[in-house]
Each structure stands twice: as structure tokens, then as C-alpha cells.
Amino acid sequence: MSQRPRRRRGAGRKAKHAARLQAVDEIAGWVDRRIPYFEVLNEEGLELIENNAETVLEEIGIEFREFPRALDLWREAGADVDGERVRFPRGLCRSIIQRSAPAEFTQHARNPERNVIIGGDRTVFVPAYGSPFVRDLDQGRRYATLEDFENFVKLTYMSPGLHHSGGTVCEPVDVPVNKRHFDMIYSHVKYSDKPFMGSVTAPERAQDTVDMAKLVFGETFIQENTVVTSLINANSPMTFDGTMLGAATVYAENNQATVISPFLLAGAMSPVTVAGTVTQILAEALAGMAYVQLVRPGAPVVFGTFAAAVSMQSGAPTFGTPEPSLIVYATAALARRLGVPFRSGGGLCASKLSDAQAAYEAANTLQTSALAGVNFMLHTAGWLEGGLVMGYEKFILDADQASILGVMLRGVDLSENGQAMDALREVGPGAHFLGASHTRANFERAFYRSIVADNNSFEQWEQDGALDAAQRAHTIWKQMLDNYEAPPLDPAIDEALTDHIARRKSEFADRDY
Amino acid sequence: MSQRPRRRRGAGRKAKHAARLQAVDEIAGWVDRRIPYFEVLNEEGLELIENNAETVLEEIGIEFREFPRALDLWREAGADVDGERVRFPRGLCRSIIQRSAPAEFTQHARNPERNVIIGGDRTVFVPAYGSPFVRDLDQGRRYATLEDFENFVKLTYMSPGLHHSGGTVCEPVDVPVNKRHFDMIYSHVKYSDKPFMGSVTAPERAQDTVDMAKLVFGETFIQENTVVTSLINANSPMTFDGTMLGAATVYAENNQATVISPFLLAGAMSPVTVAGTVTQILAEALAGMAYVQLVRPGAPVVFGTFAAAVSMQSGAPTFGTPEPSLIVYATAALARRLGVPFRSGGGLCASKLSDAQAAYEAANTLQTSALAGVNFMLHTAGWLEGGLVMGYEKFILDADQASILGVMLRGVDLSENGQAMDALREVGPGAHFLGASHTRANFERAFYRSIVADNNSFEQWEQDGALDAAQRAHTIWKQMLDNYEAPPLDPAIDEALTDHIARRKSEFADRDY
């Protein structure tokens, strides 16, 4: 499962510099981390949280609602089932997970060069997910459409810092709710060759996702391999609902990956403290991931979490603040101790615009997520307004940050060339390094080049129109879409998909839920 | 020297929430760190750099220019002096520093409650330094004046996240170059009671700073205590010039603190690699700090560094990119191994505006500096355009980030209240925590409240004028200046200072250098 796919060596950083707006070919499939993890709790603190989470599981328990099969499985596994409330002997969930859940897994893409390994020392950057609105500088804020969805799939495909096509990159609200998953999956396959996420809004839509994946990858291939990773949110506090359990069950039965994600606004859906919130997250994630392993031992599962803090004044969610950062650092360490991949973070913000608030909040969350050791970084690019809006300009700005994090995670080159002692000897006191032979030999690969930052002089910047970052990002995404070329797709697969979609769509009436 | 001054316990976070725009009283003097340091190099990597730096000091050496006294001191200390080039036996600089330089020191403020301890597990946030221009949304970009200088001293005084008044918060270019230091020192004393920095643009101006400090603190007090911390930049690569050496010498002789700061744009003033640049920084800082200890063993000295990467395309400095972050992480670890306080980082950016570029770049640098373990964070607030511009709105936005970092550095509360097990038991599955007794007992202190972020609904935000973060920051700084009240200053000291300044200014002609 964790076998490493073929991959062009050394392609990562070079790609970023040479390739820029168009080139997709040279993209590395993920970032290999070569710096430590940052942790805010010591061994004793982590054990305290783990112990408290076991107390939550034992004494309070977790509700598995509207899904009797889950209760049966838990009863068989030795849990105490009381109505829909399940209480767990201490250590039960952990031992179930550790017996069979893979520490890392390959999610296959239709182009094998874009396969990702999720887990271990790797970071996979994924665009934002789930917003009903989009925003750009031309048209402002409006409901998202399928065209917007396709645009974000294309932009993600062209962004070297993003490794995964994501899932509901925005809600195509011009398509009926109960049929839009067909169009979303099709867009991911048609307009990108990066891996993608599946539908979770109903068990039958999860099954549709699996069925379409069979057409793309072949029926036998997906029995053995994971080709879809999907997002299963807990209904915090301490509840999983029938919709999410149904979708998770379909994916697990088909050996497809799920991200079990306590989704909480601390203070409202969890205690108003960091330690209390982390305890709840761990308890919920343990119960959810163990359930997946009961359905099919060995099915890939990711410990996910999404945590914001609510404003105690207005009740609104806040982002980029210190408490959610501490939550991510602590939770990532707990996931490592458990031995499963971890998902959190991204370019989260509450701002309505791609302004300084958006950027401070996003950068704080992105830095935290990267240093904490997030393996699957959903919401990396595009997120505005607490997730209500997918921003075109924000997407470009965040994708640039993903590339920055990619370079940082690779750490310091301590080779002889990296040490640069010859350069120091050649130049000496008071001179400059610009013309030194070491500089000339290395300048192509040296130093991250942003696609959107303006580092020119004030005078040059004024001559260029005195644009702010959002305005420059606006030009960039339009240019990218102009330059977009679809990756090749076998016409037989394309036809099979479109036929399948037409047939399935005709089988039931449109519905707006 | 490192004795802890009296300080109100528990004032820090509470202040942030209760006090907001006006209250200065409740401010903690610094942030006590309770989370680990983040390091990107292991023991072996750090030793490699240390070894290479000793090779630079031994083989290449450092130039001490236009300052014969330094050469004499180095000759006496056992270094090899060849013209102005000084080469050092391996380990000499390190042993000189470790013999006498304090690991931490108190910088006294005229209000003892604002004393700061620089070093150890503490972080002191300091505004930006040195810009000839200012920018605000009303008047755009223009040369700074003494009024601007005073404004930034007042705003810093009123910002709970900033602990230190800084130095040349902007250049008051309406005052002659050779006399403006008098007005700057006077402003720091008159309009704030936080500690401040001294002039370094000429040895006699350093002496003027010391003489004015004597009027404020008393002649005997400053013989025993440090009341000024000043910024001594190396003239990288591998050079200290007469001006900086002269100023450093005056401060050291008077037991005042200096920050010895290699200032370099990697690729131009240092090698084009992270490891090569860090090696050069360490060599320069070792030589500079050892020199200070030769002048007066025990004089407080801070290992400083300012490192940006130049764009290999345009030669322009770039900020918020991964390489300078790696440089800060590595250098902070080297400073800790040496056993001296560390200065770096801040809210650095290349952007001309308080836009998303400014914020991403600043946040990346601020997060890095905080996690790396910077003790004295110069340039925390206000920095725009590579340091050419001090921005009013940027100042407000950055000061908010300083408060965020302050909370994050304090880490996770693992007390029984922090664990919140009773809240989890009280609420249980599917309910919410907003009305829980634990939430009600803790909500006042829970979760950081930004003064500038808008977390309201889109509709509310539109009703409030659809302002971006810079526009909100604009309102805030104007309101702060309207609300400003000067801290009490003994009229006798005020008169002594103004008399002294008038006399000294009359003793020599104005000059524009």
C-alpha cells in the first residue's frame, strides 16, 4: 500500500522556478519533509490528553446516529451500546486502529506521476473545499457555478504547489444538489490528472463516486488500490450522523480513503480551552477511525480535524488566532503517536476580501499546519469568509504560499555546495557575492521566486500601475485560464463517464437537498 | 543583572482583552515562553556551521575598519592583525564571549513596571526601525517628520503587544541629521515610559544618548544598570566600520547594551545558500560580540541578525520567503548554543501597501521569529517596502499579530480548568457549549480577540461599510492618537532634558549627514 510510485527526482524546486504559470509536467507529487515537527506539548502533556480522551470515550461515549449497522459492529467489537450512545472500554478504539489502519497510503491519480502518498514525512497540499460562493475582483461575491468549479480544477491542475485536485472546490449551485456530484467528479477527471476527493453528502453518492472511479481506473484496480480520499466530518460534539457514517461505510468497503474530521468551533462545539478541545477531537477521531477499521480492516483512514475558535463576543468563527494553532500542533502530535496520517489547517481566514486580514490569518494557519506536520492539507488555497467563499485571487495568493512551504519543509542543504565555503573564500570582507562563481553556479535554483509578490522599487511598482497583491493575482488567474490545456484523457474513458452520468441522472428526479 | 523586576502576575492576557485601545497599565513587560523552540538543524548540522564559522574567522578573518583601537584590543587578545584584517585562533571569539557576556539582562525603563528582560525564554516585541518614509491611507507615502516619530512612539506606548519603544521608529527628516538623535531620545522619554534604543550614527551621538539617559535615570544608576539597547550593524560581508565600532565602544564602556547584527541580503552580501549565509552571520556576530566584551567584559550584548534574500532576477530584497526563515531558525539555535540573547525577524515585507503581500510576508517572518526563539524582536510592527517606509496601518496590523504571538508562546493550559473534563461531561454528545458553566466561567479570558480583524457575517460587514483591514486599521490608529495620554514625567527631568538639548544643539552647526 505504501509502495513509492515512480517519480522524477529533484523535480520539485526546479519546477517552481522554471515552470511558473503553465508547466505541470515538472511537479513533484508531494513535499518530502526534512525538518522536524514542531510540538507544543511534552510527553506528559500528550499522555494527559490521551488519558482524558479515553475517559471521554469510556464515560461519556460517542453517538452513532441513524445508522444501526454501526451499533452492531460496535457491539461485536466489545463496546457498550446504549440506544445510539456507544461507550468504549479504555484503549479499545486505539487498539482497533493500530491493528489495521495503514500509517501511510498511496492515493492513485489517473496519471501515475501525480500519485500522492499520504502520511509519514510527506505533505500534500489540497485546495479549499465546500464554499457555496465565489469571489473575484471583476464580479465580486456570487453563488458558485459549475464553470467556477471547473475553473478551480484547472487552476489547481496548473499550480505547482498543489498536489491534489481536492473535492468540492466550490458548490456548483447551478446543478441540482442530488446530481452535482456527477459533474464534480467528472470535472476532476476531465480537467486534471491529479488525485481527487469523492462525494459524502449521501451514501448513494459515495457509491456513485466509486462507480465512476471504476470507469476511470478499472474495476479490478480499485479493489486493490485507493483512488479516492473523502472527507467525513463528525457532527461535534461527540456525534456521527447517518449520512456521514453511510458515506464512510461505502468508501471503507471499497478500500477507499476517508478523512475522519471532528469539525468544531471551539467554545460552541467543544470546550472553550485548547486542552479540552484537543481531548474532544482525539476522542471523536478515535471513535470514527476505529469504526472505519471495523467496516474493513486496513481501509486507509486519516485523522482529520478542523478547529476554529468562536468569538465569545459575537459567536462568529475566528481564524489565524493562537488557540487554533495550538490545537493543530497538539493534535498533529497525537496523530503521530497513534500512527495514522493527519489532516488539518490550510489558508483559513474570516476575511471577506483578499486583504491583509485574509493573508495574516491564512499565513498563520498555513505556517502552523506545515510545521505541525499536516500530511493532507485541505483548504490550502482559496478560502475566504470562514469557508463560505472560494476566492479566485485568494487562491493564487495561497497557492504561492504552498510553494513557499514546500521549499521550507525541505530544510537546509548542508552539502559542500550548500556550505559555500569557497564562495566565502573567493569574496572575502567588503566585497559582494553577486558575481562570485558560486553565485553564478547556483542562482537558478537559489531562493524562492513568488509568482505574485512585487519586490521592485517603489518607482517601478508605480510605473507598473501601483497594483496591490489581489490585483496582481487577478491578472495571474485569468492568464492561467487562458493558457490552460487539458491533460490527455482516453476518449473511451471520457465517453464511458459521460454515458454513465447521463444514464444515472435520468434515473431519478432533480432535488435540492 | 538578570534579577527579575516586580511585575503584576497574570496581567498579560487579561490586559489584551480588557484593555484594548487605551489601557497601558496592564501590559506585561515581555512574553514568557512556555513552548519549545523550533529548530531546523540537528546537533551535527549546527556543529558543522560552527566549525565553518571558525574557519572563516581563522582563514579569512574580519575587517575592523577606521578604528585603530579595535585592532589594539584584538592584538592584545591574541588575534592576528594584518592591516585592518583580523584573523582569530579557532575558538577565541567564542571563549571571550562565553567568559563574560550575560545570558540575559534587564533593560530598565523609566517606569520600572516596563523594564524588560532580554534573553532566556522571553520575547520582547519592538517596533520597526530606520525608515525615511511613512505611509498612511490619508496622505500616502511621504518623508517622515518628527511628528510622525512622536506618533509612532505614542502608538507603541499604547500597544499592549509591544514591550519596547524601539529606536529610530522612523527618520524625522525635518530635523538636521546631526541633531535629530536629541529629539528622538526626548520623544521616547517624553511620550512613553517603555525602554528605548540609542543613536548609533556617530560615536558622539551614542555619547549624547548616554548623557541624556543619565539625566533620566541618574548618573550612578546607569553605571550599574542597562537603560539603552542599541543596534550595531555589521557592514557585511565580514566588515565592521568605524562609525559602528565607535558607537558600540561608547555603549559598552557605559555598560549599555548593543545588538551586534550582521545585516545581509543573501546572494549579494553573503553566499546564495542558507548554510553559507548562516556561517557568515555566525562569524560576523562572534567577532563583533567578542569585540564588545574586550571593551568591557560583561557589557550586555545581543546576537542580532537581519537576513533577506535578494531576487536573483532583479537584485531586489525579498521577504517572507522560505530561505530567510530557515536562516532565522538556524541562527537562533546557534545563539542559544553560544549562550547570548538573540535578535532577528519582525514583520518584514517588500510590499508597498498594507495589502495581502505585506501580510503574508510579515506573518511568515513573525511566526518564524517567534517559534525560532527571538528574544528581542526589532521590526515587529510597521515595516513596509523593505524598511523604506513605516506604515501607520501596517503598524496596527502587525501589533495585533504581536499580541497573537504573545498568546501562542504561552502555550497550552493543562490545569484542571484547562482540561475542561467537567465541561465535556456537562454538555455531552450533540449539545453545545455556549451556555455551559465552564464556558461562562472562562469566556472572558478565552480566545484571542483581534482589535482589527472583522469576523462578522458578510451582511454585517457590508453594513459596516465593507472596509478592508487597512481601512479598519486606519480608524484605529487615529482613534488611539485621539485617546493618547502621556505617562507622567517628573517636570525636573523634562526640564533638564530640554535644557540639555537646547545647549547641545547650540554647540555645533546643523549638518545633513
Side-chain angles (χ1 to χ4, degrees), chain B residues 149-228:
Chain B
F149 189 99
E150 292 166 357
N151 284 343
F152 282 110
V153 171
K154 293 173 182 174
L155 292 171
T156 301
Y157 169 66
M158 299 175 80
S159 296
L162 302 176
H163 310 111
H164 196 285
S165 196
T168 307
V169 288
C170 59
E171 284 283 350
V173 299
D174 52 344
V175 181
V177 169
N178 64 335
K179 295 184 178 172
R180 63 177 66 146
H181 61 289
F182 294 112
D183 300 281
M184 292 195 275
I185 301 296
Y186 180 74
S187 291
H188 282 300
V189 174
K190 174 80 174 176
Y191 300 111
S192 182
D193 60 3
K194 294 183 180 180
F196 59 88
M197 303 173 76
S199 177
V200 296
T201 53
E204 62 273 19
R205 296 175 199 159
Q207 189 60 54
D208 283 329
T209 303
V210 171
D211 292 343
M212 288 176 71
K214 287 177 184 169
L215 298 176
V216 177
F217 291 91
E219 178 123 20
T220 52
F221 188 84
I222 86 152
Q223 282 165 15
E224 308 263 302
N225 296 286
T226 296
V227 301
V228 182

Side-chain angles (χ1 to χ4, degrees), chain A residues 273 357 360 398 418 456 472, chain B residues 273 352 357 360 398 418 472:
Chain A
T273 63
Q357 178 184 344
Y360 280 112
D398 286 334
N456 291 326
R472 291 191 300 275
Chain B
T273 63
K352 287 74 189 167
Q357 179 184 342
Y360 280 111
D398 287 335
R472 290 192 299 275

Side-chain angles (χ1 to χ4, degrees), chain B residues 87-107:
Chain B
R87 293 184 177 82
F88 310 84
R90 298 184 84 81
L92 176 66
C93 293
R94 178 171 291 265
S95 70
I96 290 169
I97 294 164
Q98 292 186 327
R99 198 156 53 222
S100 57
E104 57 186 57
F105 64 95
T106 297
Q107 180 184 350

Side-chain angles (χ1 to χ4, degrees), chain A residues 15-24 27 154-160 396 450-452 472-473 475-481 483-485:
Chain A
K16 204 169 339 305
H17 294 285
R20 321 286 290 173
L21 301 188
Q22 292 89 336
V24 184
I27 297 166
K154 293 173 182 175
L155 292 170
T156 301
Y157 169 65
M158 299 175 80
S159 295
I396 298 299
S450 167
I451 61 166
V452 66
R472 291 191 300 275
T475 306
I476 291 170
W477 71 258
K478 296 208 130 180
Q479 196 182 327
M480 286 172 74
L481 289 182
N483 293 341
Y484 170 80
E485 287 178 34

